[in-house]
């Protein structure tokens, strides 16, 4: 028999899955009524993007609020110590139950969304085979890692950080839709340009400048907990940080290998987001896009990879 907290977690995951499916069908119904010129597969893809936008528009701001604005004294202190790179406090970021309730209440919805995203993977009419493989790897490992940490009530600050990096995703979804369906860009040119600029700004803030210190803290804390017998584990087994390190390292190595492939640009659209290599590569592509926007290079913009 599962513990009450575990039961509640997975019931919420199931509810989130059903909510995503309901939103998908509602969006699909509306798109079928208004976008009759599009192919059926394209209308389904647009409905999928609606669900992606709604999820990111909710999870990103809520995680940001929990981490920086909630007023929880323990979380605020942990953020201050993390920013100061306090080595003595550091292991508590992972092993102590800091922001555990907030992470537990939010990650179950994202896990439900990821389960639904895998269920609807065939709806990705515009996605390449490589991108789908990356999505599967990313989602499956996240579905394994996030509940593990949430239910052990550990790694709360890291989980919330991963969640609030979704702040850039709604803008990306709009930009993707405008690239995939030029008529959208023609009909809403100002919205498209605003989203392009906002995506570049927010991406660099949360996924470049904010990513490296968090990754540093993550590896430092997890390795300390793993190799120090006197580390305060707070009821967490040793294999939990070991599994986190394995998945993070595996996904990062996967991205480094894919950087060597010609098809990498097209295959990283929504793939393994939680690795350093991805953030660097996306940052480079975004800089290219920003330069094209600033110089008015229309040809370069037309030839942009779908998910720069």
């Amino acid at each position: 028999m599962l513990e009450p907290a575990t039961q509640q977690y997975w019931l919420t995951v199931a509810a989130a899955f059903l909510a995503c499916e309901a939103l998908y069908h509602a969006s699909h119904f509306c798109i079928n009524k208004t976008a009759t010129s599009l192919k059926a597969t394209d209308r389904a893809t647009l409905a999928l993007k609606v669900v992606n936008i709604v999820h990111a528009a909710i999870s990103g701001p809520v995680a940001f609020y929990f981490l920086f604005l909630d007023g929880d004294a323990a979380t605020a202190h942990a953020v201050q110590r993390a920013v100061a790179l306090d080595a003595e406090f550091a292991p508590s970021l992972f092993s102590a139950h800091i922001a555990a309730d907030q992470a537990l209440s939010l990650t179950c919805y994202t896990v439900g969304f990821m389960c639904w995203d895998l269920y609807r993977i065939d709806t990705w009419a515009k996605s390449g085979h490589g991108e789908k493989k990356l999505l599967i790897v990313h989602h499956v490992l996240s579905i394994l890692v996030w509940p593990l940490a949430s239910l052990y009530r550990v790694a709360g600050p890291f989980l919330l950080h991963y969640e609030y990096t979704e702040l850039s995703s709604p803008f990306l979804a709009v930009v993707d839709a405008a690239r995939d369906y030029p008529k959208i860009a023609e009909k809403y040119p100002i919205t498209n340009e605003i989203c392009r600029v906002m995506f570049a700004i927010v991406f660099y803030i949360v996924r470049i400048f904010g990513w490296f210190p968090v990754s540093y803290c993550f590896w430092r804390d997890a390795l300390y907990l793993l190799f120090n017998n006197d580390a305060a584990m707070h009821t967490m087994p040793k294999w939990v940080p070991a599994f986190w390190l394995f998945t993070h390292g595996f996904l990062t190595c996967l991205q480094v290998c894919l950087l060597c492939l010609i098809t990498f640009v097209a295959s990283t659209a929504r793939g393994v987001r939680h690795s350093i290599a991805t953030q660097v590569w996306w940052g480079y592509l975004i800089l290219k896009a920003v330069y094209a926007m600033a110089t008015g290079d229309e040809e370069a913009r037309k030839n942009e990879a779908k998910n720069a």
Side-chain angles (χ1 to χ4, degrees):
M1 186 68 178
L2 296 176
E3 294 183 1
T6 305
Q7 291 182 36
Q8 182 64 41
Y9 188 91
W10 290 112
L11 284 174
T12 307
V13 168
F17 180 98
L18 295 175
C20 290
E21 184 68 1
L23 178 59
Y24 169 79
H25 284 290
S27 302
H28 200 204
F29 176 81
C30 295
I31 292 169
N32 280 336
K33 293 288 186 181
T34 57
T36 54
S37 61
L38 293 177
K39 295 186 295 184
T41 53
D42 289 339
R43 293 197 294 271
T45 300
L46 276 179
L48 185 91
K49 289 182 180 296
V50 170
V51 181
N52 277 262
I53 291 173
V54 171
H55 166 259
I58 294 174
S59 63
V62 170
F64 186 87
Y65 171 81
F66 281 155
L67 200 54
F68 298 108
L69 307 175
D70 189 23
D72 181 77
T75 303
H77 179 67
V79 171
Q80 291 174 359
R81 293 299 86 213
V83 172
L85 298 178
D86 187 338
E88 292 185 5
F89 179 84
S92 295
L93 286 173
F94 197 109
S95 62
H97 303 321
I98 300 170
D101 291 336
Q102 297 93 318
L104 185 68
S105 65
L106 183 58
T107 57
C108 52
Y109 293 101
T110 295
V111 170
F113 163 76
M114 289 180 180
C115 291
W116 173 83
D117 216 16
L118 289 175
Y119 171 69
R120 284 289 175 185
I121 193 169
D122 288 338
T123 310
W124 290 25
K126 295 289 183 177
S127 301
H129 189 61
E131 179 184 343
K132 289 183 178 179
K133 284 184 176 180
L134 284 176
L135 172 81
I136 292 171
V137 171
H138 168 265
H139 278 16
V140 168
L141 289 179
S142 295
I143 290 167
L144 292 174
V145 171
W146 287 29
L148 178 67
S150 296
L151 294 172
Y152 271 110
R153 300 176 59 78
V154 297
F158 294 112
L159 288 169
L160 292 177
H161 166 77
Y162 294 146
E163 287 275 15
Y164 90 71
T165 58
E166 291 293 335
L167 286 170
S168 63
S169 296
F171 302 111
L172 174 62
V174 174
V175 171
D176 275 351
R179 285 176 179 151
D180 290 343
Y181 311 104
K183 289 185 178 180
I184 294 178
E186 293 173 5
K187 188 174 182 179
Y188 305 103
I190 297 177
T191 299
N192 183 36
E193 290 304 305
I194 290 174
C195 287
R196 288 170 64 87
V197 173
M198 288 302 299
F199 171 63
I201 293 172
V202 178
F203 181 93
Y204 263 86
I205 292 173
V206 300
R207 293 185 182 265
I208 298 294
F209 300 127
W211 193 269
F212 288 98
V214 174
S215 294
Y216 167 77
C217 289
F218 165 75
W219 279 87
R220 178 194 59 193
D221 297 2
L223 287 171
Y224 179 89
L225 292 169
L226 198 58
F227 293 107
N228 285 271
N229 293 326
D230 59 343
M233 300 298 290
H234 299 282
T235 73
M236 176 181 61
K238 286 277 188 181
W239 63 265
V240 173
F243 184 59
W244 267 60
L245 283 170
F246 167 76
T247 54
H248 192 281
F250 173 76
L251 294 178
T252 299
C253 290
L254 179 64
Q255 290 302 108
V256 171
C257 292
L258 288 172
L259 279 168
C260 301
L261 301 178
I262 298 175
T263 58
F264 180 78
V265 175
S267 68
T268 54
R270 296 176 59 220
V272 186
R273 296 177 182 174
H274 302 323
S275 67
I276 297 172
T278 302
Q279 314 311 320
V280 174
W281 183 247
W282 277 31
Y284 165 70
L285 295 177
I286 291 169
L287 278 180
K288 287 181 62 178
V290 169
Y291 179 78
M293 292 171 62
T295 59
D297 189 342
E298 294 296 330
E299 190 62 30
R301 290 186 58 173
K302 290 179 182 178
N303 292 329
E304 283 176 2
K306 173 192 165 192
N307 295 287

